[in-house]
Amino acid sequence: QVDRYLYHMRLSDDALLGVMARFQAEMVKGLGRDTNPTATVKMLPSFVRSLPDGSEKGDFLAVDLGGSQFRAHQVKVFDDGKQSSQLESKFYPTPKEVIQGNGAELFDYVADCLLDFMETKNLKHKKLPLGFTFSFPCKQTKLEEGVLLAWTKHFKVRGVQDTDVVSSLRKALQKHKANVDVLALVNDTVGTMMTCGYDDQRCEVGLIIGTGTNACYMEEMRHIDLVEGDEGRMCINTEWGAFGDDGALDDLRTEFDRELDLGSLNPGKQLFEKMISSLYLGELVRLILLKMTKEGLLFNGKVSTALLTKGKIEMKHVSAMEQYKEGLSNTKEILTELNLFPSEEDCVAVQHVCTIVSFRSANLCAAALAAILTRLRENKKLLRMRTTVGIDGGLYKTHPQYAKRLHKVVRRLVPTCDVRFLLSVSGSGRGAAMVTAVARRVAAQRQRIDAALAPFLLPLGILRDVKDKMRAELEYGLKRETQADATVKMLPTYVCGTPDGTEKGKFLALDLGGTNFRVLLVKIKSGRRRSVQMYNKIFAIPLEIMQGTGEELFDHIVQCIADFLEYMGIKGARLPLGFTFSFPCRQASIDKGTLVGWTKGFKATDCEGEDVVDMLREAIKRRNEFDLDIVAVVNDTVGTMMTCGYEDPNCEIGLIAGTGSNVCYMEDMKNIEIVEGNEGKMCINTEWGAFGDNGCIDNIRTKYDKEVDEGSLNPGKQRYEKMTSGMYLGEIVRQILIDLTKQGLLFRGHISESLRKRGIFETKFLSQIESDRLALLQVRRILQQLGLDSTCDDSIIVKEVCGVVSRRAAQLCGAGLAAIVEKKRENRGVERLQITVGVDGTLYKLHPHFSRVLRETVKELAPQCDVTFMLSEDGSGKGAALITAVAKRLHNVGQK
């Protein structure tokens, strides 16, 4: 009979999955900036960004306002390696005249109670940080500020709504001369999550199911439109009690729910809370029993005064009537006290009503919680998730079956989540202290991280200084009397022209500059249908050859050429060859290049001071299988400039921003004192990687740069390159990560074996980690590949470290380039220069922000130059062939 009567309160799994889907939609609505104003589930940002990590310590105060009692706590958090804390509390009643009076009285009362507590604990002489648990919906714009949106739970204090409750508390504390620093405002759900999070680091959901009901969870920042920034996570206080206020649950609300709502202090509000929280369940049972009695289904139709009295049946009665063994005798006793004189059947029926009402509460609570758990799992992109829900509240704690029912339904609705439910033993007071402790730890850590990264932040004045110093070094390298001592060598390349479109023929090109070696066949057609066709093959250069003898290196190169010629079927042809050799060479003509010094990890012996073209010719002779006409030896920057110059005649600068860093540009012959002749132009390979080897930029080198330099193959050399090129950026990041870990600011202070390995942090990881498309979870996965077990907070810091290192690299590179474009402008004697820079290199091509920051810096430092950046699609190999073609053309013109 009762089942038939309360049929609408029984919810099938399909109905619960429907509630779950509706709640998920409400969450999305609450998180969106445009949809939040009309959302019933407000999804309030709490500005709690971190969970406890176990390193918190100190003495804290907490006050807890929101239930039938006001509580003051002292929390001692011990950093003893055992993650222990000690809580001492005192409870104060919250009189009706206070909770329904005015704001000044309420906060005076809170301050009085806190002072009394501090006196009891002999704390008045100490200045302690305080966490304020305020269990009502607040809009926060920072951790220590919160504007009350609306009172709930019978509170009706005048003059507080729409004001900042923290400043009201501070005023009251100042008035009472309390020596307290309010650091954090938290909701009781957030406090519960933090309390449980201290004991279990998997805890990322807080649930209150008592007088009121609410849930909070850690949401990804990128989904929270209401707060600036998309890095990391923040705890969201869902304020789910208002779910259904827009009619979303009307099909599930019964006539009893409607009657209860109409008789409440806030009709039409907090409808979900009214269906599930202990403040209302007793009243719901009373309304059902009253109607059943009026219809003659109970107590022989006799309606007692108790049944007509609002609030006469409380949650404690419902809980007692649902006890397993004593339930029926409890029911009889409770009903008799209410002057109802029940029969045995009445007791069974009433007990059944209580069960259906409380079971519906657990079901609805489980559906909304399942929606949150599903969202967490989807945020993490996991097929299966392990997590912990921290729970507090009288209904959950004292009702005999509630917890078991809730767990069972949650597990049924989200079988892909392995959920542990952890009871918050010491309530949200300890949680408020934990939020305060975490806030203090995060602030202290932030200061130390900022101090470590500050030297990488280069203001405009410093960048101008770098530009000016680069300009001075360029001039030293060009002048006869200073060239020998100049660090920026300004090497003449004997490339005196750029392509004019008449080049044609078949050419071979070699490209040596990194761990790979390329051989290319380039077919150039001239005329109206001019084109460049390329065929190439890439060969690896093993480390033992890079660092073996010169003879072994050049024999390996010739072996690769032989393989390619055979592969292309052109072994018998004597083709003109251009050799891209991306290391500093002093050239006496276009086909002679004496190696000044190896860079980028090469260390082959007996090469420095030798002509690399001769070494290549000798290796070809030793093999005695084919002959080649070596026309030109060029640097990769020159090759890049020529490749882009073929498409855009305005291209007179070549930039490589990859494994290494270098620039070349077309200089007026009259400025190149170390080469005879004053007519025309010649391309200068600056070899700017050595900028700063004379100490001129020591003021911006950090301790991490010095560590990277000292651990490199060429200490003291290529200092600018070591701050700007892909070969070294990852290593700079690794040094910073080691330092921050030693300071206990990362990876829980544990330096993994992999982090100790030089070179483990490749520059490609910077590009991946800094990608805007990557969520922090994927950043964590990249770090896991490196053997680094990171938290969400660690991932944010690592991303920040990568960002400052790569940004500085791009800015320094931009400052150097600004010096060159300014020089070009002055050479031409124009007010405004339009010029194109041909660019190649993995750092420029693949890093998500490098190219943008580089362009912005050049624009800022050379405002009178309009610089177009053109990506060299086919690399420096095609450029070597074009230089060979141009050299052939100029040679033929000379002969004529």
Side-chain angles (χ1 to χ4, degrees), residues 92-127:
Y92 298 87
T94 42
K96 194 170 180 182
E97 62 271 19
V98 169
I99 64 173
Q100 297 195 358
N102 67 48
E105 289 162 357
L106 172 70
F107 290 104
D108 277 346
Y109 181 72
V110 170
D112 273 337
C113 296
L114 181 61
L115 274 169
D116 173 74
F117 177 71
M118 289 171 76
E119 215 156 274
T120 312
K121 298 287 171 198
N122 195 24
L123 295 171
K124 285 188 90 170
H125 61 287
K126 285 186 177 180
K127 185 170 174 88

mmCIF file of all heavy atoms in Angstrom, residues 92-127:
data_model
loop_
_atom_site.group_PDB
_atom_site.id
_atom_site.type_symbol
_atom_site.label_atom_id
_atom_site.label_comp_id
_atom_site.label_asym_id
_atom_site.label_seq_id
_atom_site.Cartn_x
_atom_site.Cartn_y
_atom_site.Cartn_z
ATOM 1 N N TYR A 92 30.324 26.694 20.448
ATOM 2 C CA TYR A 92 29.506 27.767 21.010
ATOM 3 C C TYR A 92 28.133 27.685 20.355
ATOM 4 O O TYR A 92 28.043 27.421 19.152
ATOM 5 C CB TYR A 92 30.130 29.141 20.698
ATOM 6 C CG TYR A 92 31.518 29.335 21.290
ATOM 7 C CD1 TYR A 92 32.656 28.919 20.588
ATOM 8 C CD2 TYR A 92 31.685 29.934 22.538
ATOM 9 C CE1 TYR A 92 33.930 29.091 21.122
ATOM 10 C CE2 TYR A 92 32.959 30.112 23.073
ATOM 11 C CZ TYR A 92 34.071 29.690 22.361
ATOM 12 O OH TYR A 92 35.326 29.858 22.898
ATOM 13 N N PRO A 93 27.068 27.927 21.106
ATOM 14 C CA PRO A 93 25.737 27.898 20.475
ATOM 15 C C PRO A 93 25.597 29.090 19.514
ATOM 16 O O PRO A 93 26.274 30.097 19.674
ATOM 17 C CB PRO A 93 24.783 28.051 21.666
ATOM 18 C CG PRO A 93 25.594 28.741 22.715
ATOM 19 C CD PRO A 93 27.015 28.289 22.529
ATOM 20 N N THR A 94 24.736 28.941 18.501
ATOM 21 C CA THR A 94 24.434 30.120 17.664
ATOM 22 C C THR A 94 22.984 30.505 17.962
ATOM 23 O O THR A 94 22.056 29.922 17.387
ATOM 24 C CB THR A 94 24.631 29.827 16.159
ATOM 25 O OG1 THR A 94 24.108 28.527 15.877
ATOM 26 C CG2 THR A 94 26.062 29.867 15.743
ATOM 27 N N PRO A 95 22.811 31.455 18.868
ATOM 28 C CA PRO A 95 21.458 31.812 19.302
ATOM 29 C C PRO A 95 20.605 32.316 18.140
ATOM 30 O O PRO A 95 21.107 32.910 17.189
ATOM 31 C CB PRO A 95 21.691 32.936 20.324
ATOM 32 C CG PRO A 95 23.146 32.877 20.665
ATOM 33 C CD PRO A 95 23.843 32.284 19.495
ATOM 34 N N LYS A 96 19.288 32.089 18.265
ATOM 35 C CA LYS A 96 18.349 32.478 17.210
ATOM 36 C C LYS A 96 18.432 33.977 16.920
ATOM 37 O O LYS A 96 18.387 34.415 15.771
ATOM 38 C CB LYS A 96 16.928 32.091 17.620
ATOM 39 C CG LYS A 96 15.959 32.146 16.455
ATOM 40 C CD LYS A 96 14.619 31.542 16.812
ATOM 41 C CE LYS A 96 13.699 31.638 15.591
ATOM 42 N NZ LYS A 96 12.370 31.119 15.868
ATOM 43 N N GLU A 97 18.599 34.788 18.008
ATOM 44 C CA GLU A 97 18.642 36.248 17.796
ATOM 45 C C GLU A 97 19.879 36.667 17.002
ATOM 46 O O GLU A 97 19.898 37.720 16.361
ATOM 47 C CB GLU A 97 18.558 37.018 19.132
ATOM 48 C CG GLU A 97 19.686 36.770 20.111
ATOM 49 C CD GLU A 97 19.423 35.583 21.055
ATOM 50 O OE1 GLU A 97 18.549 34.736 20.743
ATOM 51 O OE2 GLU A 97 20.106 35.515 22.089
ATOM 52 N N VAL A 98 20.937 35.803 17.043
ATOM 53 C CA VAL A 98 22.143 36.110 16.262
ATOM 54 C C VAL A 98 21.944 35.707 14.804
ATOM 55 O O VAL A 98 22.248 36.467 13.892
ATOM 56 C CB VAL A 98 23.394 35.414 16.867
ATOM 57 C CG1 VAL A 98 24.586 35.511 15.923
ATOM 58 C CG2 VAL A 98 23.745 36.054 18.209
ATOM 59 N N ILE A 99 21.386 34.499 14.573
ATOM 60 C CA ILE A 99 21.274 34.028 13.180
ATOM 61 C C ILE A 99 20.085 34.646 12.444
ATOM 62 O O ILE A 99 19.931 34.450 11.251
ATOM 63 C CB ILE A 99 21.253 32.480 13.068
ATOM 64 C CG1 ILE A 99 20.024 31.884 13.737
ATOM 65 C CG2 ILE A 99 22.520 31.875 13.607
ATOM 66 C CD1 ILE A 99 19.875 30.388 13.499
ATOM 67 N N GLN A 100 19.261 35.410 13.192
ATOM 68 C CA GLN A 100 18.194 36.131 12.495
ATOM 69 C C GLN A 100 18.219 37.620 12.865
ATOM 70 O O GLN A 100 17.226 38.321 12.737
ATOM 71 C CB GLN A 100 16.834 35.482 12.813
ATOM 72 C CG GLN A 100 16.812 34.055 12.285
ATOM 73 C CD GLN A 100 15.437 33.420 12.202
ATOM 74 O OE1 GLN A 100 14.435 34.013 12.565
ATOM 75 N NE2 GLN A 100 15.403 32.202 11.703
ATOM 76 N N GLY A 101 19.427 38.083 13.298
ATOM 77 C CA GLY A 101 19.590 39.491 13.671
ATOM 78 C C GLY A 101 20.244 40.275 12.552
ATOM 79 O O GLY A 101 19.959 40.044 11.381
ATOM 80 N N ASN A 102 21.189 41.183 12.924
ATOM 81 C CA ASN A 102 21.884 41.930 11.865
ATOM 82 C C ASN A 102 23.364 41.526 11.794
ATOM 83 O O ASN A 102 23.892 40.863 12.698
ATOM 84 C CB ASN A 102 21.734 43.441 12.043
ATOM 85 C CG ASN A 102 22.444 43.954 13.279
ATOM 86 O OD1 ASN A 102 23.604 43.633 13.525
ATOM 87 N ND2 ASN A 102 21.755 44.759 14.080
ATOM 88 N N GLY A 103 24.014 41.969 10.698
ATOM 89 C CA GLY A 103 25.380 41.534 10.392
ATOM 90 C C GLY A 103 26.383 41.897 11.470
ATOM 91 O O GLY A 103 27.220 41.074 11.856
ATOM 92 N N ALA A 104 26.305 43.141 11.974
ATOM 93 C CA ALA A 104 27.276 43.590 12.985
ATOM 94 C C ALA A 104 27.221 42.684 14.205
ATOM 95 O O ALA A 104 28.256 42.278 14.753
ATOM 96 C CB ALA A 104 26.995 45.033 13.367
ATOM 97 N N GLU A 105 26.008 42.307 14.632
ATOM 98 C CA GLU A 105 25.843 41.435 15.812
ATOM 99 C C GLU A 105 26.448 40.051 15.544
ATOM 100 O O GLU A 105 27.111 39.479 16.404
ATOM 101 C CB GLU A 105 24.353 41.301 16.161
ATOM 102 C CG GLU A 105 23.747 42.567 16.751
ATOM 103 C CD GLU A 105 22.216 42.579 16.693
ATOM 104 O OE1 GLU A 105 21.611 41.634 16.140
ATOM 105 O OE2 GLU A 105 21.647 43.560 17.189
ATOM 106 N N LEU A 106 26.191 39.544 14.348
ATOM 107 C CA LEU A 106 26.712 38.203 14.013
ATOM 108 C C LEU A 106 28.245 38.187 14.094
ATOM 109 O O LEU A 106 28.827 37.310 14.747
ATOM 110 C CB LEU A 106 26.261 37.806 12.598
ATOM 111 C CG LEU A 106 26.898 36.515 12.050
ATOM 112 C CD1 LEU A 106 26.368 35.286 12.788
ATOM 113 C CD2 LEU A 106 26.631 36.342 10.554
ATOM 114 N N PHE A 107 28.909 39.153 13.430
ATOM 115 C CA PHE A 107 30.380 39.121 13.389
ATOM 116 C C PHE A 107 30.998 39.498 14.741
ATOM 117 O O PHE A 107 32.065 39.006 15.087
ATOM 118 C CB PHE A 107 30.901 39.972 12.230
ATOM 119 C CG PHE A 107 30.605 39.338 10.894
ATOM 120 C CD1 PHE A 107 29.590 39.818 10.071
ATOM 121 C CD2 PHE A 107 31.305 38.209 10.477
ATOM 122 C CE1 PHE A 107 29.293 39.204 8.860
ATOM 123 C CE2 PHE A 107 31.014 37.592 9.266
ATOM 124 C CZ PHE A 107 30.004 38.084 8.454
ATOM 125 N N ASP A 108 30.308 40.344 15.508
ATOM 126 C CA ASP A 108 30.759 40.617 16.889
ATOM 127 C C ASP A 108 30.725 39.330 17.704
ATOM 128 O O ASP A 108 31.639 39.045 18.486
ATOM 129 C CB ASP A 108 29.856 41.666 17.557
ATOM 130 C CG ASP A 108 30.274 43.085 17.166
ATOM 131 O OD1 ASP A 108 31.391 43.231 16.624
ATOM 132 O OD2 ASP A 108 29.483 44.027 17.382
ATOM 133 N N TYR A 109 29.664 38.559 17.511
ATOM 134 C CA TYR A 109 29.522 37.296 18.245
ATOM 135 C C TYR A 109 30.662 36.327 17.869
ATOM 136 O O TYR A 109 31.278 35.700 18.735
ATOM 137 C CB TYR A 109 28.156 36.667 17.937
ATOM 138 C CG TYR A 109 27.916 35.363 18.671
ATOM 139 C CD1 TYR A 109 27.679 35.341 20.048
ATOM 140 C CD2 TYR A 109 27.944 34.146 17.985
ATOM 141 C CE1 TYR A 109 27.479 34.144 20.721
ATOM 142 C CE2 TYR A 109 27.739 32.946 18.642
ATOM 143 C CZ TYR A 109 27.504 32.949 20.008
ATOM 144 O OH TYR A 109 27.320 31.759 20.668
ATOM 145 N N VAL A 110 30.947 36.242 16.559
ATOM 146 C CA VAL A 110 32.043 35.373 16.082
ATOM 147 C C VAL A 110 33.372 35.816 16.707
ATOM 148 O O VAL A 110 34.143 34.998 17.222
ATOM 149 C CB VAL A 110 32.134 35.399 14.529
ATOM 150 C CG1 VAL A 110 33.399 34.708 14.036
ATOM 151 C CG2 VAL A 110 30.907 34.749 13.910
ATOM 152 N N ALA A 111 33.647 37.140 16.687
ATOM 153 C CA ALA A 111 34.907 37.660 17.243
ATOM 154 C C ALA A 111 34.987 37.390 18.742
ATOM 155 O O ALA A 111 36.039 37.002 19.268
ATOM 156 C CB ALA A 111 35.021 39.152 16.957
ATOM 157 N N ASP A 112 33.857 37.585 19.472
ATOM 158 C CA ASP A 112 33.816 37.311 20.928
ATOM 159 C C ASP A 112 34.179 35.861 21.216
ATOM 160 O O ASP A 112 34.999 35.570 22.093
ATOM 161 C CB ASP A 112 32.394 37.580 21.469
ATOM 162 C CG ASP A 112 32.223 39.038 21.845
ATOM 163 O OD1 ASP A 112 33.246 39.696 22.100
ATOM 164 O OD2 ASP A 112 31.062 39.510 21.860
ATOM 165 N N CYS A 113 33.531 34.946 20.475
ATOM 166 C CA CYS A 113 33.776 33.505 20.689
ATOM 167 C C CYS A 113 35.236 33.163 20.402
ATOM 168 O O CYS A 113 35.869 32.414 21.147
ATOM 169 C CB CYS A 113 32.872 32.667 19.802
ATOM 170 S SG CYS A 113 31.127 32.850 20.189
ATOM 171 N N LEU A 114 35.788 33.730 19.304
ATOM 172 C CA LEU A 114 37.179 33.435 18.936
ATOM 173 C C LEU A 114 38.130 33.939 20.021
ATOM 174 O O LEU A 114 39.073 33.240 20.413
ATOM 175 C CB LEU A 114 37.517 34.057 17.579
ATOM 176 C CG LEU A 114 38.945 33.806 17.076
ATOM 177 C CD1 LEU A 114 39.207 32.316 16.888
ATOM 178 C CD2 LEU A 114 39.208 34.539 15.771
ATOM 179 N N LEU A 115 37.879 35.152 20.530
ATOM 180 C CA LEU A 115 38.735 35.702 21.591
ATOM 181 C C LEU A 115 38.663 34.855 22.846
ATOM 182 O O LEU A 115 39.683 34.599 23.502
ATOM 183 C CB LEU A 115 38.321 37.146 21.906
ATOM 184 C CG LEU A 115 38.977 38.191 20.997
ATOM 185 C CD1 LEU A 115 38.321 39.531 21.194
ATOM 186 C CD2 LEU A 115 40.470 38.311 21.278
ATOM 187 N N ASP A 116 37.448 34.410 23.170
ATOM 188 C CA ASP A 116 37.280 33.535 24.331
ATOM 189 C C ASP A 116 38.111 32.258 24.148
ATOM 190 O O ASP A 116 38.814 31.804 25.053
ATOM 191 C CB ASP A 116 35.793 33.191 24.502
ATOM 192 C CG ASP A 116 35.581 32.154 25.592
ATOM 193 O OD1 ASP A 116 35.700 32.524 26.781
ATOM 194 O OD2 ASP A 116 35.333 30.972 25.256
ATOM 195 N N PHE A 117 38.052 31.702 22.934
ATOM 196 C CA PHE A 117 38.799 30.468 22.638
ATOM 197 C C PHE A 117 40.309 30.708 22.758
ATOM 198 O O PHE A 117 41.040 29.909 23.338
ATOM 199 C CB PHE A 117 38.441 29.997 21.223
ATOM 200 C CG PHE A 117 39.197 28.779 20.771
ATOM 201 C CD1 PHE A 117 38.936 27.527 21.308
ATOM 202 C CD2 PHE A 117 40.192 28.876 19.794
ATOM 203 C CE1 PHE A 117 39.632 26.400 20.895
ATOM 204 C CE2 PHE A 117 40.894 27.765 19.373
ATOM 205 C CZ PHE A 117 40.606 26.516 19.923
ATOM 206 N N MET A 118 40.770 31.853 22.192
ATOM 207 C CA MET A 118 42.207 32.161 22.238
ATOM 208 C C MET A 118 42.685 32.343 23.676
ATOM 209 O O MET A 118 43.806 31.959 24.028
ATOM 210 C CB MET A 118 42.505 33.414 21.399
ATOM 211 C CG MET A 118 42.374 33.177 19.898
ATOM 212 S SD MET A 118 42.465 34.695 18.939
ATOM 213 C CE MET A 118 44.239 35.015 18.995
ATOM 214 N N GLU A 119 41.808 32.929 24.496
ATOM 215 C CA GLU A 119 42.154 33.110 25.913
ATOM 216 C C GLU A 119 42.265 31.752 26.595
ATOM 217 O O GLU A 119 43.218 31.480 27.336
ATOM 218 C CB GLU A 119 41.080 33.960 26.591
ATOM 219 C CG GLU A 119 41.657 34.869 27.664
ATOM 220 C CD GLU A 119 40.744 36.065 27.895
ATOM 221 O OE1 GLU A 119 40.882 37.074 27.173
ATOM 222 O OE2 GLU A 119 39.883 35.947 28.772
ATOM 223 N N THR A 120 41.301 30.895 26.319
ATOM 224 C CA THR A 120 41.289 29.541 26.898
ATOM 225 C C THR A 120 42.580 28.802 26.548
ATOM 226 O O THR A 120 43.153 28.083 27.362
ATOM 227 C CB THR A 120 40.088 28.728 26.341
ATOM 228 O OG1 THR A 120 38.926 29.519 26.425
ATOM 229 C CG2 THR A 120 39.883 27.429 27.083
ATOM 230 N N LYS A 121 43.050 28.980 25.305
ATOM 231 C CA LYS A 121 44.231 28.237 24.826
ATOM 232 C C LYS A 121 45.524 29.037 25.010
ATOM 233 O O LYS A 121 46.581 28.621 24.511
ATOM 234 C CB LYS A 121 44.072 27.902 23.332
ATOM 235 C CG LYS A 121 42.895 27.017 23.023
ATOM 236 C CD LYS A 121 43.138 25.598 23.479
ATOM 237 C CE LYS A 121 41.902 24.753 23.389
ATOM 238 N NZ LYS A 121 42.004 23.551 24.200
ATOM 239 N N ASN A 122 45.418 30.188 25.650
ATOM 240 C CA ASN A 122 46.587 31.043 25.883
ATOM 241 C C ASN A 122 47.288 31.424 24.568
ATOM 242 O O ASN A 122 48.496 31.275 24.409
ATOM 243 C CB ASN A 122 47.568 30.338 26.850
ATOM 244 C CG ASN A 122 48.589 31.316 27.403
ATOM 245 O OD1 ASN A 122 48.339 32.527 27.456
ATOM 246 N ND2 ASN A 122 49.751 30.811 27.768
ATOM 247 N N LEU A 123 46.469 31.898 23.602
ATOM 248 C CA LEU A 123 47.005 32.211 22.269
ATOM 249 C C LEU A 123 46.968 33.701 21.949
ATOM 250 O O LEU A 123 47.328 34.113 20.848
ATOM 251 C CB LEU A 123 46.188 31.468 21.192
ATOM 252 C CG LEU A 123 46.241 29.945 21.201
ATOM 253 C CD1 LEU A 123 45.221 29.374 20.227
ATOM 254 C CD2 LEU A 123 47.634 29.447 20.849
ATOM 255 N N LYS A 124 46.512 34.518 22.896
ATOM 256 C CA LYS A 124 46.286 35.945 22.586
ATOM 257 C C LYS A 124 47.570 36.684 22.219
ATOM 258 O O LYS A 124 47.551 37.668 21.498
ATOM 259 C CB LYS A 124 45.594 36.631 23.773
ATOM 260 C CG LYS A 124 44.125 36.247 23.856
ATOM 261 C CD LYS A 124 43.368 37.054 24.888
ATOM 262 C CE LYS A 124 42.797 38.320 24.253
ATOM 263 N NZ LYS A 124 41.873 38.999 25.179
ATOM 264 N N HIS A 125 48.703 36.187 22.701
ATOM 265 C CA HIS A 125 49.979 36.881 22.451
ATOM 266 C C HIS A 125 50.547 36.546 21.064
ATOM 267 O O HIS A 125 51.454 37.203 20.589
ATOM 268 C CB HIS A 125 51.000 36.494 23.535
ATOM 269 C CG HIS A 125 51.298 35.024 23.545
ATOM 270 N ND1 HIS A 125 50.377 34.105 24.015
ATOM 271 C CD2 HIS A 125 52.384 34.317 23.114
ATOM 272 C CE1 HIS A 125 50.897 32.881 23.889
ATOM 273 N NE2 HIS A 125 52.102 32.980 23.336
ATOM 274 N N LYS A 126 50.028 35.485 20.401
ATOM 275 C CA LYS A 126 50.566 35.063 19.096
ATOM 276 C C LYS A 126 49.736 35.653 17.955
ATOM 277 O O LYS A 126 48.527 35.774 18.083
ATOM 278 C CB LYS A 126 50.484 33.536 18.960
ATOM 279 C CG LYS A 126 51.495 32.764 19.762
ATOM 280 C CD LYS A 126 51.361 31.289 19.376
ATOM 281 C CE LYS A 126 52.386 30.422 20.075
ATOM 282 N NZ LYS A 126 52.225 29.020 19.684
ATOM 283 N N LYS A 127 50.413 35.980 16.852
ATOM 284 C CA LYS A 127 49.646 36.379 15.650
ATOM 285 C C LYS A 127 49.523 35.138 14.763
ATOM 286 O O LYS A 127 50.505 34.667 14.214
ATOM 287 C CB LYS A 127 50.341 37.507 14.889
ATOM 288 C CG LYS A 127 49.487 38.000 13.700
ATOM 289 C CD LYS A 127 50.044 39.266 13.094
ATOM 290 C CE LYS A 127 49.275 39.664 11.843
ATOM 291 N NZ LYS A 127 48.126 40.490 12.065
#
